[in-house]
Amino acid sequence: MANLDTEKLKKLLQSFYHLTGLRIVIFDNSFHEILGYPFEHCSFCSLIRSNETALQKCFACDEAACKVCQHTNELYLYTCHAGLSEVVSPIYYNNTIIAYLMFGQICNYPDKDAVWPFIRERCKDYAIDIEALKQAFFKKQYVSVETLHAAANIIEACTAYIHLSELIRKGE
C-alpha cells in the first residue's frame, strides 16, 4: 500500500480539473481508484455505471489501461468500452510503478451526430435509458485531439512532480 500526501494530491487534482475541465483520478497499483476530482463521474458515465455489467466493463477498462502502462512504462491513450477517450500515466517511486494517474471521460468527436450511432451500438446491451444516454453524450464538451495531447503532456509533468515531491511513497 502506498502512503499519500492527500491534501497536496487533492490540490493538484483540483488544479488540473479547473484548468482542463477533465475528471482526474489516481489508481493504486492494484488498479483501484484511491482519489479523484471531481468525485462524481460525468452524467454519461454515471448512466453507464448504473448498469452492473457496464460498471464491471468500466473497471476492466481501467485495469487493462493500467496494465498497458505497467507493460510499456509509458502514458497510454485509449477508447473505453462506451466510446469515450481516457489517458493513463504511471507514477513511479524508486523506479517502481506504485500508482497511476488517469484523466478521461472525454468526447473527442467533433461531429457528435455522426458518432452517436457508434456510441449507441457500444451501449445497446446495457439496461439503461438510451435517450437519457444520448442527451448526456450530446451535453459532453468536445475536446480536440490537440487539447487531449496537451493535457496528456501535463499529466506526464504531474506524475514527475508527484514522484519528485514524494506525494505518493511506497508503503512498508
Side-chain angles (χ1 to χ4, degrees):
M1 183 66 179
N3 297 316
L4 297 108
D5 187 332
T6 307
E7 289 309 309
K8 287 183 180 176
L9 285 168
K10 279 183 188 176
K11 187 175 180 180
L12 180 66
L13 298 184
Q14 288 171 345
S15 294
F16 180 84
Y17 175 77
H18 290 297
L19 182 65
T20 65
L22 303 173
R23 184 170 191 271
I24 183 168
V25 299
I26 298 173
F27 287 92
D28 65 17
N29 58 359
S30 298
F31 319 118
H32 298 105
E33 186 176 322
I34 54 176
L35 191 62
Y37 192 84
F39 181 75
E40 305 85 20
H41 292 269
C42 68
S43 58
F44 179 89
C45 292
S46 292
L47 280 167
I48 294 289
R49 288 170 168 260
S50 69
N51 175 276
E52 186 61 32
T53 301
L55 176 63
Q56 293 308 314
K57 286 189 175 187
C58 292
F59 292 149
C61 274
D62 294 342
E63 182 174 334
C66 291
K67 285 182 177 179
V68 168
C69 279
Q70 191 177 53
H71 179 72
T72 64
N73 294 315
E74 294 179 353
L75 178 135
Y76 178 55
L77 167 65
Y78 69 102
T79 302
C80 78
H81 71 97
L84 299 183
S85 295
E86 298 187 321
V87 175
V88 62
S89 184
I91 299 172
Y92 292 91
Y93 184 80
N94 290 338
N95 297 320
T96 302
I97 297 173
I98 60 167
Y100 302 87
L101 194 57
M102 178 185 285
F103 70 91
Q105 305 172 345
I106 298 166
C107 174
N108 63 336
Y109 308 107
D111 185 353
K112 290 180 185 174
D113 287 314
V115 80
W116 169 246
F118 165 75
I119 301 293
R120 185 183 60 233
E121 180 64 24
R122 289 188 122 182
C123 301
K124 71 178 182 180
D125 295 331
Y126 307 141
I128 55 177
D129 182 343
I130 291 295
E131 189 56 37
L133 189 66
K134 181 179 182 180
Q135 289 176 12
F137 175 72
F138 277 85
K139 286 181 184 175
K140 289 205 62 60
Q141 172 188 354
Y142 163 69
V143 176
S144 71
V145 173
E146 294 81 12
T147 300
L148 181 61
H149 286 284
N153 288 337
I154 292 170
I155 281 294
E156 287 187 309
C158 288
T159 59
Y161 169 73
I162 289 169
H163 169 72
L164 292 172
S165 301
E166 296 189 346
L167 300 183
I168 301 177
R169 297 174 306 284
K170 192 169 182 170
E172 298 301 318

